[in-house]
Amino acid sequence: MLEIEVGFYYGTSYVSYALTVALSAATCVAWWVIIGFSLQDSRFFMWMGFNIVALLLAQPYLMRLSRTLWLSFFVHYNDNWDTEKPVEPERLGSKPE
């Protein structure tokens, strides 16, 4: 039986935020190296528009990646899953009746 622990989505929101900041920083550096920023025109605002579109397109992948990373922090694969009994859940009241 699979039950999501309390705070799972709360924790994945932090991972998703970190991935979003990393992607924004990467697009900023790439834009700065390739196109550059200037005070005389609107290149900074063009980058912001590009960044918003990139984040919107990447959002489904970032959500799935953040959930996967959060699970990999706390759930470890057991090679002998077919012979060993799983560990009891930590929460009270989560045992199947």
Side-chain angles (χ1 to χ4, degrees), residues 16-84:
S16 179
Y17 178 74
L19 291 173
T20 302
V21 169
L23 183 62
S24 295
T27 60
C28 181
V29 169
W31 189 277
W32 182 36
V33 169
I34 296 171
I35 297 173
F37 290 114
S38 174
L39 297 175
Q40 282 73 29
D41 56 9
S42 60
R43 286 187 234 171
F44 177 75
F45 297 107
M46 290 172 54
W47 166 74
M48 285 181 64
F50 173 78
N51 190 40
I52 289 169
V53 170
L55 289 176
L56 286 174
L57 291 175
Q59 187 59 33
Y61 302 107
L62 290 174
M63 287 184 349
R64 285 171 179 81
L65 181 60
S66 67
R67 290 176 187 171
T68 303
L69 288 174
W70 188 256
L71 278 176
S72 70
F73 292 153
F74 298 107
V75 178
H76 301 287
Y77 179 73
N78 183 2
D79 289 332
N80 302 320
W81 63 269
D82 54 347
T83 58
E84 293 180 9

